[in-house]
Amino acid sequence: MITLQAQPTPFSFDPAHTALVMIDMQRDFIEPGGFGATLGNDVSLLAPVVPAAAALIAWCRAHGVLVIHTQECHAPDLSDCPPAKRLRGKPSLRIGDPGSMGRILIKGEPGAGFVPELLPQTGDVVIAKPGKGAFYGTPLAQELQSRGITHLIFGGVTTEVCVQTTMREANDRGYECLIIEEATGSYFPEFKASALAMIRAQGGIVGWTASLGDVRSAG
């Protein structure tokens, strides 16, 4: 067992029954010219998440924790993209439109791929997802159950949307969840702070939060 100092209380887990779920660390969200930028966001705010996520992934691999990468993307014919999602907001480019890194958020296009520093390795699990939560329309639940996973560690982007949504889905399914603060990010720092506060409120109503330093101090 490993125990991390965390909020609101220490978080203990067995690495053999734990998975890291790294949410949507994709070029379309993190790099200039991707979907995040077309929405009018300052993508440079997510740059510090990349080295922190890489450090967290490395720590998990070294301690025998399964690494799962989620990837928000859609079929080329957009059959799995509801019109309400595609038409939401006023981006300069919409899902499926041609962009500087191929068609926006389309499976197999460069922009939908992972940032180079966080490419999946042999033994990792990749979950393509059509929605914000990683359990909706994906085999994630079966992958976790087949491996006897009971605890989940989270990182990725954005904190208040896809990461928090997946944590809440996992919490409803009985998983004990921990999010690592530096390994997650938002285009809106105040939204990240609020999401972390919501997660650990009321005795950890959704889960626990911890720093990367807390992870490293655990061994």
Side-chain angles (χ1 to χ4, degrees), residues 60-114:
C60 286
R61 288 187 175 127
H63 288 78
V65 173
L66 174 69
V67 177
I68 299 174
H69 308 261
T70 75
Q71 180 182 32
E72 184 174 349
C73 58
H74 296 280
D77 63 1
L78 299 177
S79 58
D80 57 356
C81 182
K85 179 180 181 180
R86 186 169 189 270
L87 299 177
R88 189 71 50 84
K90 296 181 179 180
S92 59
L93 293 173
R94 297 190 181 278
I95 295 171
D97 288 347
S100 62
M101 294 183 283
R103 294 179 67 200
I104 298 289
L105 286 185
I106 296 299
K107 188 172 184 178
E109 297 285 346
F114 300 104

mmCIF file of all heavy atoms in Angstrom, residues 60-114:
data_model
loop_
_atom_site.group_PDB
_atom_site.id
_atom_site.type_symbol
_atom_site.label_atom_id
_atom_site.label_comp_id
_atom_site.label_asym_id
_atom_site.label_seq_id
_atom_site.Cartn_x
_atom_site.Cartn_y
_atom_site.Cartn_z
ATOM 1 N N CYS A 60 3.880 6.805 -11.912
ATOM 2 C CA CYS A 60 2.918 5.705 -11.910
ATOM 3 C C CYS A 60 3.500 4.461 -12.566
ATOM 4 O O CYS A 60 3.340 3.345 -12.051
ATOM 5 C CB CYS A 60 1.631 6.137 -12.597
ATOM 6 S SG CYS A 60 0.606 7.278 -11.609
ATOM 7 N N ARG A 61 4.179 4.636 -13.679
ATOM 8 C CA ARG A 61 4.794 3.475 -14.332
ATOM 9 C C ARG A 61 5.830 2.826 -13.413
ATOM 10 O O ARG A 61 5.910 1.602 -13.320
ATOM 11 C CB ARG A 61 5.435 3.898 -15.651
ATOM 12 C CG ARG A 61 4.415 4.216 -16.749
ATOM 13 C CD ARG A 61 5.098 4.470 -18.066
ATOM 14 N NE ARG A 61 4.123 4.670 -19.142
ATOM 15 C CZ ARG A 61 4.104 5.706 -19.967
ATOM 16 N NH1 ARG A 61 5.027 6.654 -19.849
ATOM 17 N NH2 ARG A 61 3.177 5.813 -20.903
ATOM 18 N N ALA A 62 6.609 3.656 -12.729
ATOM 19 C CA ALA A 62 7.649 3.124 -11.844
ATOM 20 C C ALA A 62 7.077 2.375 -10.663
ATOM 21 O O ALA A 62 7.733 1.496 -10.089
ATOM 22 C CB ALA A 62 8.536 4.266 -11.350
ATOM 23 N N HIS A 63 5.830 2.687 -10.286
ATOM 24 C CA HIS A 63 5.205 2.055 -9.124
ATOM 25 C C HIS A 63 4.144 1.024 -9.509
ATOM 26 O O HIS A 63 3.379 0.568 -8.659
ATOM 27 C CB HIS A 63 4.589 3.126 -8.221
ATOM 28 C CG HIS A 63 5.617 3.941 -7.484
ATOM 29 N ND1 HIS A 63 6.323 4.960 -8.087
ATOM 30 C CD2 HIS A 63 6.086 3.852 -6.197
ATOM 31 C CE1 HIS A 63 7.166 5.487 -7.205
ATOM 32 N NE2 HIS A 63 7.041 4.835 -6.065
ATOM 33 N N GLY A 64 4.091 0.647 -10.780
ATOM 34 C CA GLY A 64 3.183 -0.415 -11.200
ATOM 35 C C GLY A 64 1.734 -0.014 -11.320
ATOM 36 O O GLY A 64 0.845 -0.878 -11.267
ATOM 37 N N VAL A 65 1.470 1.285 -11.504
ATOM 38 C CA VAL A 65 0.101 1.773 -11.687
ATOM 39 C C VAL A 65 -0.227 1.783 -13.178
ATOM 40 O O VAL A 65 0.538 2.323 -13.986
ATOM 41 C CB VAL A 65 -0.053 3.189 -11.096
ATOM 42 C CG1 VAL A 65 -1.425 3.773 -11.427
ATOM 43 C CG2 VAL A 65 0.167 3.165 -9.584
ATOM 44 N N LEU A 66 -1.333 1.185 -13.556
ATOM 45 C CA LEU A 66 -1.784 1.179 -14.947
ATOM 46 C C LEU A 66 -2.003 2.614 -15.433
ATOM 47 O O LEU A 66 -2.571 3.436 -14.717
ATOM 48 C CB LEU A 66 -3.089 0.396 -15.065
ATOM 49 C CG LEU A 66 -3.781 0.395 -16.432
ATOM 50 C CD1 LEU A 66 -2.967 -0.402 -17.447
ATOM 51 C CD2 LEU A 66 -5.197 -0.165 -16.313
ATOM 52 N N VAL A 67 -1.548 2.905 -16.658
ATOM 53 C CA VAL A 67 -1.725 4.234 -17.234
ATOM 54 C C VAL A 67 -2.780 4.170 -18.340
ATOM 55 O O VAL A 67 -2.665 3.383 -19.283
ATOM 56 C CB VAL A 67 -0.399 4.783 -17.798
ATOM 57 C CG1 VAL A 67 -0.620 6.142 -18.471
ATOM 58 C CG2 VAL A 67 0.640 4.901 -16.672
ATOM 59 N N ILE A 68 -3.799 5.014 -18.194
ATOM 60 C CA ILE A 68 -4.885 5.107 -19.175
ATOM 61 C C ILE A 68 -4.895 6.529 -19.738
ATOM 62 O O ILE A 68 -4.845 7.506 -18.985
ATOM 63 C CB ILE A 68 -6.245 4.797 -18.533
ATOM 64 C CG1 ILE A 68 -6.256 3.363 -17.986
ATOM 65 C CG2 ILE A 68 -7.386 5.008 -19.524
ATOM 66 C CD1 ILE A 68 -7.514 3.024 -17.197
ATOM 67 N N HIS A 69 -4.948 6.637 -21.057
ATOM 68 C CA HIS A 69 -5.041 7.937 -21.723
ATOM 69 C C HIS A 69 -6.425 8.041 -22.366
ATOM 70 O O HIS A 69 -6.822 7.138 -23.109
ATOM 71 C CB HIS A 69 -4.005 8.063 -22.843
ATOM 72 C CG HIS A 69 -2.605 7.745 -22.432
ATOM 73 N ND1 HIS A 69 -1.673 8.715 -22.120
ATOM 74 C CD2 HIS A 69 -1.957 6.545 -22.301
ATOM 75 C CE1 HIS A 69 -0.521 8.136 -21.815
ATOM 76 N NE2 HIS A 69 -0.665 6.821 -21.919
ATOM 77 N N THR A 70 -7.148 9.124 -22.099
ATOM 78 C CA THR A 70 -8.394 9.330 -22.827
ATOM 79 C C THR A 70 -8.169 10.345 -23.936
ATOM 80 O O THR A 70 -7.286 11.204 -23.859
ATOM 81 C CB THR A 70 -9.543 9.793 -21.919
ATOM 82 O OG1 THR A 70 -9.362 11.178 -21.567
ATOM 83 C CG2 THR A 70 -9.643 8.936 -20.669
ATOM 84 N N GLN A 71 -8.993 10.224 -24.962
ATOM 85 C CA GLN A 71 -8.813 11.006 -26.179
ATOM 86 C C GLN A 71 -10.195 11.397 -26.711
ATOM 87 O O GLN A 71 -10.921 10.554 -27.231
ATOM 88 C CB GLN A 71 -8.062 10.154 -27.202
ATOM 89 C CG GLN A 71 -7.772 10.799 -28.525
ATOM 90 C CD GLN A 71 -7.061 9.828 -29.464
ATOM 91 O OE1 GLN A 71 -7.301 8.615 -29.405
ATOM 92 N NE2 GLN A 71 -6.198 10.340 -30.314
ATOM 93 N N GLU A 72 -10.545 12.656 -26.548
ATOM 94 C CA GLU A 72 -11.838 13.107 -27.065
ATOM 95 C C GLU A 72 -11.731 13.262 -28.581
ATOM 96 O O GLU A 72 -10.943 14.064 -29.087
ATOM 97 C CB GLU A 72 -12.262 14.436 -26.436
ATOM 98 C CG GLU A 72 -13.638 14.883 -26.891
ATOM 99 C CD GLU A 72 -14.136 16.121 -26.179
ATOM 100 O OE1 GLU A 72 -13.524 16.540 -25.182
ATOM 101 O OE2 GLU A 72 -15.167 16.676 -26.624
ATOM 102 N N CYS A 73 -12.527 12.501 -29.293
ATOM 103 C CA CYS A 73 -12.469 12.550 -30.750
ATOM 104 C C CYS A 73 -13.742 11.937 -31.321
ATOM 105 O O CYS A 73 -14.510 11.287 -30.612
ATOM 106 C CB CYS A 73 -11.228 11.826 -31.274
ATOM 107 S SG CYS A 73 -11.108 10.085 -30.764
ATOM 108 N N HIS A 74 -13.923 12.153 -32.603
ATOM 109 C CA HIS A 74 -15.149 11.702 -33.264
ATOM 110 C C HIS A 74 -14.851 10.992 -34.577
ATOM 111 O O HIS A 74 -13.770 11.161 -35.161
ATOM 112 C CB HIS A 74 -16.076 12.895 -33.516
ATOM 113 C CG HIS A 74 -16.555 13.538 -32.260
ATOM 114 N ND1 HIS A 74 -17.587 13.019 -31.526
ATOM 115 C CD2 HIS A 74 -16.105 14.628 -31.585
ATOM 116 C CE1 HIS A 74 -17.777 13.778 -30.453
ATOM 117 N NE2 HIS A 74 -16.893 14.751 -30.462
ATOM 118 N N ALA A 75 -15.826 10.218 -35.017
ATOM 119 C CA ALA A 75 -15.723 9.538 -36.305
ATOM 120 C C ALA A 75 -15.685 10.578 -37.430
ATOM 121 O O ALA A 75 -16.260 11.659 -37.304
ATOM 122 C CB ALA A 75 -16.907 8.597 -36.498
ATOM 123 N N PRO A 76 -15.022 10.259 -38.544
ATOM 124 C CA PRO A 76 -14.938 11.220 -39.652
ATOM 125 C C PRO A 76 -16.293 11.695 -40.167
ATOM 126 O O PRO A 76 -16.415 12.840 -40.628
ATOM 127 C CB PRO A 76 -14.174 10.445 -40.727
ATOM 128 C CG PRO A 76 -13.333 9.476 -39.957
ATOM 129 C CD PRO A 76 -14.187 9.060 -38.784
ATOM 130 N N ASP A 77 -17.318 10.840 -40.075
ATOM 131 C CA ASP A 77 -18.646 11.266 -40.552
ATOM 132 C C ASP A 77 -19.460 11.968 -39.473
ATOM 133 O O ASP A 77 -20.627 12.318 -39.703
ATOM 134 C CB ASP A 77 -19.427 10.071 -41.105
ATOM 135 C CG ASP A 77 -19.730 9.003 -40.045
ATOM 136 O OD1 ASP A 77 -19.346 9.190 -38.869
ATOM 137 O OD2 ASP A 77 -20.352 7.986 -40.402
ATOM 138 N N LEU A 78 -18.853 12.179 -38.296
ATOM 139 C CA LEU A 78 -19.485 12.885 -37.173
ATOM 140 C C LEU A 78 -20.745 12.189 -36.670
ATOM 141 O O LEU A 78 -21.579 12.805 -36.004
ATOM 142 C CB LEU A 78 -19.806 14.338 -37.551
ATOM 143 C CG LEU A 78 -18.607 15.208 -37.916
ATOM 144 C CD1 LEU A 78 -19.070 16.602 -38.334
ATOM 145 C CD2 LEU A 78 -17.627 15.295 -36.759
ATOM 146 N N SER A 79 -20.866 10.895 -36.937
ATOM 147 C CA SER A 79 -22.065 10.172 -36.511
ATOM 148 C C SER A 79 -22.168 10.060 -34.997
ATOM 149 O O SER A 79 -23.260 9.819 -34.464
ATOM 150 C CB SER A 79 -22.090 8.769 -37.142
ATOM 151 O OG SER A 79 -20.924 8.039 -36.788
ATOM 152 N N ASP A 80 -21.042 10.219 -34.296
ATOM 153 C CA ASP A 80 -21.065 10.146 -32.831
ATOM 154 C C ASP A 80 -20.930 11.525 -32.184
ATOM 155 O O ASP A 80 -20.645 11.631 -30.992
ATOM 156 C CB ASP A 80 -19.951 9.223 -32.323
ATOM 157 C CG ASP A 80 -18.568 9.661 -32.781
ATOM 158 O OD1 ASP A 80 -18.468 10.651 -33.558
ATOM 159 O OD2 ASP A 80 -17.580 9.020 -32.382
ATOM 160 N N CYS A 81 -21.149 12.572 -32.965
ATOM 161 C CA CYS A 81 -21.078 13.946 -32.455
ATOM 162 C C CYS A 81 -22.452 14.595 -32.555
ATOM 163 O O CYS A 81 -22.883 14.963 -33.651
ATOM 164 C CB CYS A 81 -20.053 14.760 -33.242
ATOM 165 S SG CYS A 81 -19.856 16.453 -32.634
ATOM 166 N N PRO A 82 -23.154 14.744 -31.442
ATOM 167 C CA PRO A 82 -24.477 15.365 -31.496
ATOM 168 C C PRO A 82 -24.403 16.780 -32.069
ATOM 169 O O PRO A 82 -23.459 17.524 -31.762
ATOM 170 C CB PRO A 82 -24.916 15.399 -30.024
ATOM 171 C CG PRO A 82 -24.074 14.388 -29.338
ATOM 172 C CD PRO A 82 -22.764 14.375 -30.078
ATOM 173 N N PRO A 83 -25.361 17.167 -32.896
ATOM 174 C CA PRO A 83 -25.358 18.538 -33.431
ATOM 175 C C PRO A 83 -25.264 19.605 -32.341
ATOM 176 O O PRO A 83 -24.612 20.630 -32.528
ATOM 177 C CB PRO A 83 -26.686 18.619 -34.190
ATOM 178 C CG PRO A 83 -26.963 17.207 -34.594
ATOM 179 C CD PRO A 83 -26.463 16.366 -33.462
ATOM 180 N N ALA A 84 -25.889 19.350 -31.196
ATOM 181 C CA ALA A 84 -25.843 20.331 -30.109
ATOM 182 C C ALA A 84 -24.419 20.562 -29.629
ATOM 183 O O ALA A 84 -24.070 21.668 -29.205
ATOM 184 C CB ALA A 84 -26.712 19.871 -28.948
ATOM 185 N N LYS A 85 -23.584 19.531 -29.679
ATOM 186 C CA LYS A 85 -22.184 19.690 -29.282
ATOM 187 C C LYS A 85 -21.410 20.442 -30.357
ATOM 188 O O LYS A 85 -20.635 21.360 -30.049
ATOM 189 C CB LYS A 85 -21.540 18.322 -29.036
ATOM 190 C CG LYS A 85 -20.070 18.412 -28.653
ATOM 191 C CD LYS A 85 -19.447 17.038 -28.411
ATOM 192 C CE LYS A 85 -17.977 17.180 -28.015
ATOM 193 N NZ LYS A 85 -17.324 15.880 -27.773
ATOM 194 N N ARG A 86 -21.592 20.068 -31.593
ATOM 195 C CA ARG A 86 -20.838 20.690 -32.679
ATOM 196 C C ARG A 86 -21.176 22.167 -32.837
ATOM 197 O O ARG A 86 -20.312 22.975 -33.169
ATOM 198 C CB ARG A 86 -21.101 19.961 -33.990
ATOM 199 C CG ARG A 86 -20.245 20.466 -35.143
ATOM 200 C CD ARG A 86 -20.316 19.561 -36.366
ATOM 201 N NE ARG A 86 -19.331 19.968 -37.343
ATOM 202 C CZ ARG A 86 -19.550 20.863 -38.303
ATOM 203 N NH1 ARG A 86 -20.744 21.435 -38.427
ATOM 204 N NH2 ARG A 86 -18.594 21.192 -39.154
ATOM 205 N N LEU A 87 -22.422 22.536 -32.569
ATOM 206 C CA LEU A 87 -22.868 23.911 -32.809
ATOM 207 C C LEU A 87 -22.762 24.806 -31.586
ATOM 208 O O LEU A 87 -23.086 25.983 -31.652
ATOM 209 C CB LEU A 87 -24.318 23.900 -33.311
ATOM 210 C CG LEU A 87 -24.556 23.146 -34.626
ATOM 211 C CD1 LEU A 87 -26.028 23.135 -34.980
ATOM 212 C CD2 LEU A 87 -23.724 23.755 -35.763
ATOM 213 N N ARG A 88 -22.291 24.256 -30.451
ATOM 214 C CA ARG A 88 -22.222 25.029 -29.215
ATOM 215 C C ARG A 88 -21.183 26.134 -29.308
ATOM 216 O O ARG A 88 -20.073 25.926 -29.773
ATOM 217 C CB ARG A 88 -21.880 24.089 -28.050
ATOM 218 C CG ARG A 88 -21.968 24.700 -26.661
ATOM 219 C CD ARG A 88 -23.412 24.964 -26.246
ATOM 220 N NE ARG A 88 -24.279 23.828 -26.441
ATOM 221 C CZ ARG A 88 -24.416 22.822 -25.577
ATOM 222 N NH1 ARG A 88 -23.707 22.796 -24.475
ATOM 223 N NH2 ARG A 88 -25.273 21.852 -25.827
ATOM 224 N N GLY A 89 -21.537 27.331 -28.861
ATOM 225 C CA GLY A 89 -20.602 28.440 -28.815
ATOM 226 C C GLY A 89 -20.355 29.055 -30.180
ATOM 227 O O GLY A 89 -21.070 28.787 -31.150
ATOM 228 N N LYS A 90 -19.307 29.885 -30.236
ATOM 229 C CA LYS A 90 -18.972 30.574 -31.476
ATOM 230 C C LYS A 90 -17.475 30.452 -31.788
ATOM 231 O O LYS A 90 -16.767 31.458 -31.879
ATOM 232 C CB LYS A 90 -19.371 32.050 -31.382
ATOM 233 C CG LYS A 90 -20.865 32.273 -31.234
ATOM 234 C CD LYS A 90 -21.203 33.746 -31.182
ATOM 235 C CE LYS A 90 -22.700 33.963 -31.060
ATOM 236 N NZ LYS A 90 -23.049 35.402 -31.001
ATOM 237 N N PRO A 91 -16.991 29.217 -31.964
ATOM 238 C CA PRO A 91 -15.580 29.058 -32.317
ATOM 239 C C PRO A 91 -15.331 29.482 -33.764
ATOM 240 O O PRO A 91 -16.248 29.512 -34.584
ATOM 241 C CB PRO A 91 -15.356 27.552 -32.140
ATOM 242 C CG PRO A 91 -16.704 26.956 -32.441
ATOM 243 C CD PRO A 91 -17.713 27.939 -31.898
ATOM 244 N N SER A 92 -14.078 29.791 -34.068
ATOM 245 C CA SER A 92 -13.745 30.121 -35.453
ATOM 246 C C SER A 92 -13.757 28.877 -36.327
ATOM 247 O O SER A 92 -13.938 28.968 -37.545
ATOM 248 C CB SER A 92 -12.375 30.804 -35.513
ATOM 249 O OG SER A 92 -11.361 29.964 -34.975
ATOM 250 N N LEU A 93 -13.546 27.715 -35.723
ATOM 251 C CA LEU A 93 -13.663 26.433 -36.404
ATOM 252 C C LEU A 93 -14.459 25.489 -35.514
ATOM 253 O O LEU A 93 -14.336 25.531 -34.292
ATOM 254 C CB LEU A 93 -12.281 25.825 -36.677
ATOM 255 C CG LEU A 93 -11.384 26.541 -37.677
ATOM 256 C CD1 LEU A 93 -10.000 25.908 -37.704
ATOM 257 C CD2 LEU A 93 -11.996 26.520 -39.070
ATOM 258 N N ARG A 94 -15.241 24.623 -36.116
ATOM 259 C CA ARG A 94 -16.050 23.675 -35.353
ATOM 260 C C ARG A 94 -15.495 22.262 -35.506
ATOM 261 O O ARG A 94 -14.663 21.988 -36.375
ATOM 262 C CB ARG A 94 -17.504 23.730 -35.799
ATOM 263 C CG ARG A 94 -18.162 25.085 -35.547
ATOM 264 C CD ARG A 94 -19.651 25.043 -35.767
ATOM 265 N NE ARG A 94 -20.262 26.359 -35.555
ATOM 266 C CZ ARG A 94 -20.591 26.849 -34.369
ATOM 267 N NH1 ARG A 94 -20.392 26.131 -33.281
ATOM 268 N NH2 ARG A 94 -21.142 28.046 -34.268
ATOM 269 N N ILE A 95 -15.971 21.363 -34.646
ATOM 270 C CA ILE A 95 -15.557 19.968 -34.727
ATOM 271 C C ILE A 95 -15.797 19.450 -36.141
ATOM 272 O O ILE A 95 -16.877 19.624 -36.706
ATOM 273 C CB ILE A 95 -16.330 19.123 -33.707
ATOM 274 C CG1 ILE A 95 -15.963 19.553 -32.280
ATOM 275 C CG2 ILE A 95 -16.044 17.630 -33.898
ATOM 276 C CD1 ILE A 95 -16.833 18.932 -31.204
ATOM 277 N N GLY A 96 -14.775 18.847 -36.712
ATOM 278 C CA GLY A 96 -14.871 18.316 -38.072
ATOM 279 C C GLY A 96 -14.366 19.243 -39.149
ATOM 280 O O GLY A 96 -14.081 18.795 -40.270
ATOM 281 N N ASP A 97 -14.229 20.541 -38.830
ATOM 282 C CA ASP A 97 -13.730 21.484 -39.831
ATOM 283 C C ASP A 97 -12.223 21.291 -40.044
ATOM 284 O O ASP A 97 -11.506 20.907 -39.119
ATOM 285 C CB ASP A 97 -13.980 22.926 -39.383
ATOM 286 C CG ASP A 97 -15.443 23.321 -39.446
ATOM 287 O OD1 ASP A 97 -16.234 22.570 -40.055
ATOM 288 O OD2 ASP A 97 -15.783 24.386 -38.885
ATOM 289 N N PRO A 98 -11.731 21.587 -41.252
ATOM 290 C CA PRO A 98 -10.280 21.514 -41.490
ATOM 291 C C PRO A 98 -9.555 22.612 -40.711
ATOM 292 O O PRO A 98 -9.971 23.773 -40.731
ATOM 293 C CB PRO A 98 -10.155 21.735 -43.000
ATOM 294 C CG PRO A 98 -11.514 21.513 -43.554
ATOM 295 C CD PRO A 98 -12.480 21.892 -42.473
ATOM 296 N N GLY A 99 -8.490 22.238 -40.016
ATOM 297 C CA GLY A 99 -7.680 23.192 -39.281
ATOM 298 C C GLY A 99 -6.218 23.020 -39.602
ATOM 299 O O GLY A 99 -5.848 22.269 -40.520
ATOM 300 N N SER A 100 -5.375 23.687 -38.833
ATOM 301 C CA SER A 100 -3.938 23.627 -39.102
ATOM 302 C C SER A 100 -3.328 22.273 -38.767
ATOM 303 O O SER A 100 -2.213 21.962 -39.202
ATOM 304 C CB SER A 100 -3.221 24.723 -38.317
ATOM 305 O OG SER A 100 -3.387 24.536 -36.923
ATOM 306 N N MET A 101 -4.050 21.449 -37.980
ATOM 307 C CA MET A 101 -3.566 20.109 -37.628
ATOM 308 C C MET A 101 -4.563 19.050 -38.077
ATOM 309 O O MET A 101 -4.786 18.056 -37.406
ATOM 310 C CB MET A 101 -3.322 20.019 -36.119
ATOM 311 C CG MET A 101 -2.188 20.903 -35.638
ATOM 312 S SD MET A 101 -1.844 20.738 -33.866
ATOM 313 C CE MET A 101 -3.189 21.703 -33.170
ATOM 314 N N GLY A 102 -5.167 19.283 -39.253
ATOM 315 C CA GLY A 102 -6.163 18.347 -39.762
ATOM 316 C C GLY A 102 -7.551 18.722 -39.282
ATOM 317 O O GLY A 102 -7.775 19.793 -38.700
ATOM 318 N N ARG A 103 -8.491 17.849 -39.504
ATOM 319 C CA ARG A 103 -9.869 18.119 -39.092
ATOM 320 C C ARG A 103 -9.965 18.130 -37.561
ATOM 321 O O ARG A 103 -9.427 17.254 -36.881
ATOM 322 C CB ARG A 103 -10.822 17.083 -39.686
ATOM 323 C CG ARG A 103 -10.929 17.145 -41.208
ATOM 324 C CD ARG A 103 -11.865 16.064 -41.718
ATOM 325 N NE ARG A 103 -13.234 16.323 -41.286
ATOM 326 C CZ ARG A 103 -14.192 15.386 -41.242
ATOM 327 N NH1 ARG A 103 -13.902 14.128 -41.567
ATOM 328 N NH2 ARG A 103 -15.415 15.702 -40.846
ATOM 329 N N ILE A 104 -10.678 19.100 -37.040
ATOM 330 C CA ILE A 104 -10.758 19.338 -35.603
ATOM 331 C C ILE A 104 -11.404 18.155 -34.876
ATOM 332 O O ILE A 104 -12.519 17.736 -35.207
ATOM 333 C CB ILE A 104 -11.575 20.620 -35.315
ATOM 334 C CG1 ILE A 104 -10.886 21.845 -35.919
ATOM 335 C CG2 ILE A 104 -11.808 20.789 -33.819
ATOM 336 C CD1 ILE A 104 -9.628 22.262 -35.246
ATOM 337 N N LEU A 105 -10.687 17.597 -33.914
ATOM 338 C CA LEU A 105 -11.166 16.524 -33.031
ATOM 339 C C LEU A 105 -11.718 15.309 -33.784
ATOM 340 O O LEU A 105 -12.671 14.668 -33.333
ATOM 341 C CB LEU A 105 -12.230 17.051 -32.048
ATOM 342 C CG LEU A 105 -11.711 17.912 -30.898
ATOM 343 C CD1 LEU A 105 -12.862 18.244 -29.934
ATOM 344 C CD2 LEU A 105 -10.580 17.235 -30.134
ATOM 345 N N ILE A 106 -11.097 14.979 -34.886
ATOM 346 C CA ILE A 106 -11.484 13.788 -35.639
ATOM 347 C C ILE A 106 -10.433 12.704 -35.412
ATOM 348 O O ILE A 106 -9.226 12.943 -35.533
ATOM 349 C CB ILE A 106 -11.619 14.092 -37.143
ATOM 350 C CG1 ILE A 106 -12.752 15.088 -37.377
ATOM 351 C CG2 ILE A 106 -11.867 12.801 -37.928
ATOM 352 C CD1 ILE A 106 -14.132 14.612 -36.920
ATOM 353 N N LYS A 107 -10.894 11.518 -35.076
ATOM 354 C CA LYS A 107 -9.993 10.412 -34.777
ATOM 355 C C LYS A 107 -9.039 10.169 -35.942
ATOM 356 O O LYS A 107 -9.463 10.085 -37.099
ATOM 357 C CB LYS A 107 -10.802 9.153 -34.477
ATOM 358 C CG LYS A 107 -9.955 7.991 -33.969
ATOM 359 C CD LYS A 107 -10.826 6.826 -33.510
ATOM 360 C CE LYS A 107 -9.982 5.721 -32.912
ATOM 361 N NZ LYS A 107 -10.810 4.592 -32.422
ATOM 362 N N GLY A 108 -7.763 10.047 -35.628
ATOM 363 C CA GLY A 108 -6.750 9.799 -36.640
ATOM 364 C C GLY A 108 -6.098 11.045 -37.186
ATOM 365 O O GLY A 108 -5.043 10.950 -37.830
ATOM 366 N N GLU A 109 -6.674 12.213 -36.919
ATOM 367 C CA GLU A 109 -6.075 13.458 -37.384
ATOM 368 C C GLU A 109 -4.978 13.895 -36.403
ATOM 369 O O GLU A 109 -5.049 13.602 -35.201
ATOM 370 C CB GLU A 109 -7.139 14.552 -37.505
ATOM 371 C CG GLU A 109 -8.219 14.272 -38.528
ATOM 372 C CD GLU A 109 -7.737 14.464 -39.967
ATOM 373 O OE1 GLU A 109 -6.653 15.060 -40.173
ATOM 374 O OE2 GLU A 109 -8.439 14.021 -40.895
ATOM 375 N N PRO A 110 -3.951 14.612 -36.889
ATOM 376 C CA PRO A 110 -2.849 15.005 -36.006
ATOM 377 C C PRO A 110 -3.292 15.780 -34.765
ATOM 378 O O PRO A 110 -2.772 15.552 -33.670
ATOM 379 C CB PRO A 110 -1.969 15.867 -36.920
ATOM 380 C CG PRO A 110 -2.244 15.361 -38.299
ATOM 381 C CD PRO A 110 -3.699 14.991 -38.296
ATOM 382 N N GLY A 111 -4.233 16.677 -34.923
ATOM 383 C CA GLY A 111 -4.659 17.488 -33.787
ATOM 384 C C GLY A 111 -5.327 16.694 -32.686
ATOM 385 O O GLY A 111 -5.248 17.069 -31.506
ATOM 386 N N ALA A 112 -5.974 15.612 -33.052
ATOM 387 C CA ALA A 112 -6.634 14.773 -32.048
ATOM 388 C C ALA A 112 -5.636 13.869 -31.334
ATOM 389 O O ALA A 112 -5.985 13.241 -30.326
ATOM 390 C CB ALA A 112 -7.727 13.930 -32.698
ATOM 391 N N GLY A 113 -4.410 13.826 -31.833
ATOM 392 C CA GLY A 113 -3.381 12.996 -31.217
ATOM 393 C C GLY A 113 -2.837 13.616 -29.945
ATOM 394 O O GLY A 113 -3.086 14.787 -29.626
ATOM 395 N N PHE A 114 -2.074 12.832 -29.209
ATOM 396 C CA PHE A 114 -1.513 13.292 -27.947
ATOM 397 C C PHE A 114 -0.286 14.173 -28.179
ATOM 398 O O PHE A 114 0.424 14.018 -29.178
ATOM 399 C CB PHE A 114 -1.131 12.092 -27.080
ATOM 400 C CG PHE A 114 -2.306 11.206 -26.751
ATOM 401 C CD1 PHE A 114 -2.483 9.994 -27.406
ATOM 402 C CD2 PHE A 114 -3.242 11.600 -25.814
ATOM 403 C CE1 PHE A 114 -3.578 9.180 -27.119
ATOM 404 C CE2 PHE A 114 -4.332 10.792 -25.521
ATOM 405 C CZ PHE A 114 -4.511 9.587 -26.170
#
